[in-house]
Structures are given as structure tokens and as C-alpha cells.
Amino acid sequence: MSFSKNDLEIIKSKISLRSELEKKHKLSQKGKDFWCCCPFHEEKTPSFKINDELGSFYCFGCNAKGDIFTIYTDLYNYSFIDAVKELAQRSGVKIDFDKKKTNKENKIEEILEISCQWFQKNLENSEAINCNKYLNKRKLKEEIIKQFRLGYSYNTKSSLYEFLKNKSFTDEELLSSNVVKLSNNKKIQDYFYKRLIFPIKNLQGKVVGFGGRSLDNTNPKYINSPESNFFQKRYLLYNLDLAKNTSRKKNNLLICEGYMDVISLFQNGIFSVVSPLGTSLTEDQLKLSWRYSTKPTVMFDGDSAGVRASYKVAVMSLPLISAQKFLQFISLPENFDPDSYINQFSFNNFLKFLKNPQSLIEFIFNQSSSSIKLNNADEKISYDKYLDDLIETIKDKKTQYFYKSELKTLFFNKLRYQNKNTNKLNLTSKKLNQNLNKKQNSSFIASAINNHNFRSQILKQLSYSDLFNEAEMKLINELQKDEYLNLEPLKLLKKIENTSFSNLVKECMSWQIYRLFPYSEPKFDPQTSFDEVLKSLNNLNTRLSNLKKINKSLDEFVKNTNSLNWSELQSINLEILDED
């Protein structure tokens, strides 16, 4: 990379600092200088002076100073090199940013690109049938498959190693590229075998490695290219090359858990989405994400592993948080990832999660406070000390002050609410049974609607029961009419949505019901679903007595099934300390 101080001065002379700032700020002129409210701190009276002739600025309120490059690095979160590239392109200043690569580096880059093309081409072959079936099952469109350059690592005509050898590459070059490896008997073989391939690119869009997913239950399910000087997972985010421009423009970056989540969301129009490379989000990846958004959003899977990984990111981020670096979180329902949630429910329902993220402090408090009962003074003191220890890790003093204040407020409100609602939190068995009866009644009706093959038999059995209230029984009788009885589930729902039964049907078809009673789901085996409904109807009292062992209300059960426990929280802190 070669540019001089003179190159930077030429760029500054060609781009007006005033024009750049007036895009987002109201400017007023006093003499030869321009003034506005400082973009680096909150103020009502302008104290930010712009000297357009010198291409510099100074804030008399917070002492911020610099030039057009400072605006891009400190305000827009560009790296200095990216800022120079962007501004050089805008100003028409030609700079050679490509450092001279060694012959070995050029060979590796060429091998990785040719390998990627070979993987892509294999998807067109008949032996890739299972791979294509998997992609169809995940509802990926052809253009998205091509855009992400997905491929398959098998070809009956030739191995990748043989294919590349015919391109005149040496064994040493191929081994250095990590697309092949030495077997136990010292023979060279393909690194990826019969796997769906995800090319991994750097910020410039160059392929630097691959991820491979097994399609036949081979373990491990996912593998990545080995670590090397050109492929270092901790410094890469999957899809950042495509996401970075949208992320900067909208100041929003969504961090998911896996490759398929990223691709599914991208296909649905969410372009500023990335993921780590099959490992926990690292400190370096978090710093990288802040270069493109001041407030990235972490949304990992809704299972216990995903919640644990999210909490670890939250704790890890605290020493790094500042006035220009925030973090927020989205918690999905248990056992759902973004792709599975969208496919089972809808993208519009998924958008509701995106519109309601939790702040970093809210997420930490909600997860940590649900892990301890806080029933006595010792537990309250221990938890309060835990919160203090977390806050002490924040290095930015202003952030530390406000975060501590917010945490203490949340803690106080929880204790006050807990004291006022002790009786509510310890529901009687009678109230719990009533709540569970209501939910299971909904599951029976959902089963009847979703199970077209056995709808008539299920409704007949339900109509004989005394379990249902008046509104539920009216719905059961309505569904037994000929106009509903033989309709496919989607057509039935469409027909009933404008009737008085619409709200009751929505309650029955909710994801909470499906989670508690899987047999009511649309995709559940029809015969098994029917058998389960009959069994549950006949043995409801036994089922309810077992569920009475739950020592909190059903709503709390649904919300906290994927919460961390107290010992897990403490172990996460120790893990982060060990990594440091």
C-alpha cells in the first residue's frame, strides 16, 4: 500500500468538509467559519467550528478536532485505510492500494478462487442431488445460491486435488492453500468431502477460506478451513463484504449465529447481516462490527447454547463499551433460529423481534436476575455484588456511571415488584391447573385445524368433552360444519379470519401452544397427532398433576425455559477472564 502525506492533502483539498457535515447537520456562517452542534456530543448551542479553507474542525465543548479523515474514522467508524480508499475514490485521486504480493500469495489466491468455482460447478452434477434437496428444503432461491457462491465438494470425475494438479499447481502450493491435506498414510486428499460449501470472503470480496456442512449426519456437522496467515477466523465475519455498505448507511448490523441464518435473512431483504465463523463471537470480531455500526444487534439461536453464547458476548463487551460503541440483543423463542422461525411462522412475525431489541444492560439484567431466586438477604447481597463486579469492568467512566444507575434501578424495581406480587408468583394448584387446561384446550383445537386428515374424528371427540368453555365449544361446533370440515388448513384460517372466532383461533395457533404441545403443530405426523390428542383427552388429570410440579406460573415457564442458571453466569465470567 503506497500513499503519501501529499496524497492526503490533495484529497482534503478536493472534498469540502463543510459540504460533508451539512448533509446531516444544520450549519450557520460567522465570517469565514461555519458552526453547528457537535456531532460527537449532545449540545443545544453550536460550539463546533468548521474552517473549510483549512479543511479542519474544532469543538469548544468537548475539544474534538480533526479533518475529513477524522469524520470518517471517529464518526462513521471507518478504519483509516478504508476512509482513505473511500475519499480517494470520491475525489478522483488515484492511489495504488494493492501492495506487492509474493508469488506464493498470488498462487494461493488463485487456488482458492478456482476451488470456489469448482465447488459451484459441482452443484450442477447429478451426484449433488442431496445437496440441492437440502438447499430447496431451506427455501433458497437460485439467485441467492449463486450470489453467495454455494457449492458441493464432490465430483465423480475428479477430486479437487486432481483438478488443481491438472492446472499445474504444485503439491506444496495446494497444501499451503488448505483446500487439500495430508492423510494419515501421507497421501494428499481433499480437505472437504461431500459437504455443502460456503465460501468465506474478506472485506474486499476475495475468497480466503471455506465452511463445509455435512449432509449425511457426519460429525462434526460444520468444519472450516484450517487457520493460516490468510484465514484467521477471529478477524473475519461471514458476509461482511456484502453487508458493510448497507450497515454503514443504516448504522445497523445484525450478528447471527450461522451461515444459513445470514443467507436466509439476506434473501428476505435484510442485507446488513453477518455471523462469526462457527465459533463464539470474539473481541476482535466485535471491534470489527463497530467499524460499520455504532450499535450492532446480537441475535443468536434460542436454545440454551445460543443464550449462553449471547450472554458471554454481553459480558465480554462491557470493557469495550463507550459513547460511540453500544450493543443490543434479540432473544428468539426457545429452540428457534432465524431461518427456522421464518419458515415455520412468517417473515412479518420475525420483524417484530427485530423492532424490539433489548439494550445491553436490559439483556444482562434479565438473563442474570432470572438465574437466582432473590428470596433472602444473602441472595440479594450476592447478586448485587455480582452486578457491581460487572460494572467495574467498564473502562469508560461516563458509561460506567449511567449503566450502574440503570442496573440499580432495574434491580430495585424487581425487588419491589417481587415483594408486591409474592402471592401471584406462588399460584395455587387450582389456578395453575386452570391455566394449563386453557392452554391444552387450545392445543386440541389447533390439532383439529392443522390435521386435515383426522379433523372430523378429533372434533367429534372434543364435542363429547366437558373440558371446554362456552366460546371454545361454539368454535368446535362451527368447525364441524361442512363448509369448514374439508378445507385445507390455510384455506380454513382464511375463511374464519373475518368471523367472531378469529381471535380465539389466533390464540390456539400461537407458537407458545406449539412449543408446549408439539402434536398440535402443522408439520406433525397426522396419525401420531390424532393418537396424542385422544391420549391427552383421556388422561388429562394425570397430565395436569405432573405439570403441577412446576413451581411458577405458565407464563414464567414459557419465558424462562432457556435461561441460564446462577453457576453458569459465574462460569462465563471466569471463562472471559481466562481468555484475557
Side-chain angles (χ1 to χ4, degrees), residues 115-135 145 149-156 158-160 190 192-199 210-216:
S115 298
C116 184
Q117 294 173 13
W118 186 79
F119 291 138
Q120 286 182 273
K121 192 70 175 175
N122 287 343
L123 273 182
E124 300 173 10
N125 300 334
S126 59
E127 53 263 31
I129 184 171
N130 289 334
C131 189
N132 283 308
K133 280 183 178 179
Y134 175 79
L135 295 174
I145 293 172
R149 306 190 68 184
L150 304 185
Y152 183 55
S153 59
Y154 182 70
N155 188 315
T156 55
S158 154
S159 67
L160 177 59
D190 291 0
F192 298 97
Y193 181 71
K194 290 189 176 181
R195 287 177 177 267
L196 168 61
I197 297 296
F198 300 86
F210 301 96
R213 187 196 191 282
S214 70
L215 300 165
D216 56 3

Side-chain angles (χ1 to χ4, degrees), residues 486-504:
N486 297 314
L487 287 178
E488 293 292 334
L490 290 178
K491 292 182 179 179
L492 188 153
L493 293 172
K494 186 70 175 175
K495 184 176 179 64
I496 211 166
E497 67 180 1
N498 294 321
T499 69
S500 60
F501 299 107
S502 176
N503 290 335
L504 179 55

Side-chain angles (χ1 to χ4, degrees), residues 56-71:
S56 63
F57 66 83
Y58 180 77
C59 177
F60 290 89
C62 68
N63 301 317
K65 61 182 179 179
D67 53 22
I68 186 70
F69 298 104
T70 314
I71 294 294

Side-chain angles (χ1 to χ4, degrees), residues 438-453:
K438 171 87 174 153
K439 296 292 183 183
Q440 191 155 30
N441 286 355
S442 295
S443 78
F444 294 148
I445 294 172
S447 299
I449 293 173
N450 289 326
N451 195 340
H452 177 231
N453 296 340

Side-chain angles (χ1 to χ4, degrees), residues 319-330:
L320 310 173
I321 295 295
S322 69
Q324 290 293 323
K325 295 177 181 177
F326 300 101
L327 200 59
Q328 53 191 14
F329 292 81
I330 292 173

Side-chain angles (χ1 to χ4, degrees), residues 140-335:
L140 296 188
K141 298 176 182 177
E142 187 67 29
E143 56 267 31
I144 286 292
I145 293 172
K146 289 180 179 178
Q147 185 170 10
F148 280 84
R149 306 190 68 184
L150 304 185
Y152 183 55
S153 59
Y154 182 70
N155 188 315
T156 55
K157 295 179 181 178
S158 154
S159 67
L160 177 59
Y161 171 63
E162 293 166 342
F163 179 79
L164 292 170
K165 284 292 286 183
N166 289 332
K167 299 284 185 182
S168 300
F169 294 109
T170 67
D171 286 349
E172 181 184 358
E173 290 167 344
L174 295 177
L175 287 168
S176 296
S177 71
N178 288 327
V179 296
V180 298
K181 62 181 179 179
L182 278 177
S183 66
N184 293 333
N185 58 5
K186 304 301 180 183
K187 289 186 177 181
I188 297 179
Q189 62 186 38
D190 291 0
Y191 188 82
F192 298 97
Y193 181 71
K194 290 189 176 181
R195 287 177 177 267
L196 168 61
I197 297 296
F198 300 86
I200 298 165
K201 294 171 284 183
N202 60 18
L203 280 171
Q204 291 71 45
K206 300 285 188 182
V207 177
V208 292
F210 301 96
R213 187 196 191 282
S214 70
L215 300 165
D216 56 3
N217 297 319
T218 301
N219 285 319
K221 182 188 288 187
Y222 282 94
I223 60 173
N224 287 319
S225 296
E227 290 280 308
S228 64
N229 62 342
F230 56 87
F231 182 72
Q232 296 173 301
K233 293 193 290 287
R234 67 182 297 110
Y235 299 113
L236 295 166
L237 286 169
Y238 182 68
N239 191 51
L240 187 55
D241 61 306
L242 297 179
K244 61 183 181 181
N245 290 335
T246 303
S247 179
R248 273 193 176 131
K249 184 178 179 181
K250 297 188 175 181
N251 190 26
N252 185 20
L253 185 66
L254 185 62
I255 305 174
C256 295
E257 193 167 323
Y259 303 141
M260 197 57 73
D261 298 323
V262 169
I263 297 171
S264 176
L265 291 173
F266 197 96
Q267 179 171 266
N268 279 283
I270 299 176
F271 302 127
S272 55
V273 56
V274 297
S275 75
L277 308 184
T279 57
S280 300
L281 189 73
T282 67
E283 184 176 307
D284 294 298
Q285 288 170 329
L286 183 56
K287 289 178 179 177
L288 179 61
S289 71
W290 274 323
R291 283 169 51 185
Y292 300 92
S293 170
T294 58
K295 190 181 287 187
T297 303
V298 176
M299 182 178 61
F300 288 167
D301 296 352
D303 57 12
S304 58
V307 174
R308 192 179 194 281
S310 295
Y311 194 82
K312 187 174 180 179
V313 171
V315 175
M316 177 191 71
S317 72
L318 289 174
L320 310 173
I321 295 295
S322 69
Q324 290 293 323
K325 295 177 181 177
F326 300 101
L327 200 59
Q328 53 191 14
F329 292 81
I330 292 173
S331 299
L332 290 173
E334 188 181 13
N335 295 327

Side-chain angles (χ1 to χ4, degrees), residues 325-496:
K325 295 177 181 177
F326 300 101
L327 200 59
Q328 53 191 14
F329 292 81
I330 292 173
S331 299
L332 290 173
E334 188 181 13
N335 295 327
F336 279 100
D337 57 40
D339 184 48
S340 64
Y341 187 90
I342 290 170
N343 286 331
Q344 181 156 336
F345 297 101
S346 71
F347 182 69
N348 287 335
N349 280 339
F350 179 77
L351 285 178
K352 295 175 184 177
F353 288 105
L354 295 186
K355 293 176 181 178
N356 294 285
Q358 296 180 67
S359 70
L360 171 61
I361 285 302
E362 287 175 327
F363 178 77
I364 287 177
F365 180 79
N366 290 339
Q367 289 298 328
S368 60
S369 63
S370 65
S371 69
I372 188 169
K373 293 182 179 179
L374 302 174
N375 286 336
N376 56 55
D378 289 345
E379 290 174 339
K380 293 170 186 175
I381 292 169
S382 177
Y383 181 64
D384 190 46
K385 176 65 166 58
Y386 173 79
L387 295 180
D388 286 341
D389 289 344
L390 286 183
I391 291 299
E392 283 300 314
T393 66
I394 300 176
K395 295 177 181 178
D396 185 89
K397 294 304 178 184
K398 183 177 286 188
T399 305
Q400 185 186 88
Y401 172 80
F402 284 106
Y403 275 21
K404 183 173 184 176
S405 176
E406 186 173 350
L407 267 181
K408 294 296 183 181
T409 300
L410 290 169
F411 187 28
F412 174 76
N413 288 340
K414 183 179 179 70
L415 292 178
R416 184 172 61 178
Y417 177 83
Q418 184 170 292
N419 291 334
K420 284 184 177 181
N421 295 279
T422 301
N423 291 333
K424 292 181 181 179
L425 293 175
N426 294 289
L427 292 173
T428 63
S429 295
K430 180 179 178 181
K431 185 173 181 180
L432 178 60
N433 282 345
Q434 289 173 347
N435 211 349
L436 288 166
N437 276 329
K438 171 87 174 153
K439 296 292 183 183
Q440 191 155 30
N441 286 355
S442 295
S443 78
F444 294 148
I445 294 172
S447 299
I449 293 173
N450 289 326
N451 195 340
H452 177 231
N453 296 340
F454 292 90
R455 184 179 298 149
S456 177
Q457 295 95 313
I458 292 174
L459 291 171
K460 186 176 181 180
Q461 293 296 323
L462 300 185
S463 66
Y464 294 152
S465 174
D466 295 326
L467 292 171
F468 302 94
N469 62 34
E470 183 179 355
E472 292 167 339
M473 189 55 71
K474 284 183 178 179
L475 175 58
I476 291 168
N477 291 333
E478 181 73 12
L479 292 174
Q480 291 187 88
K481 293 181 179 179
D482 291 339
E483 59 184 299
Y484 293 107
L485 205 55
N486 297 314
L487 287 178
E488 293 292 334
L490 290 178
K491 292 182 179 179
L492 188 153
L493 293 172
K494 186 70 175 175
K495 184 176 179 64
I496 211 166

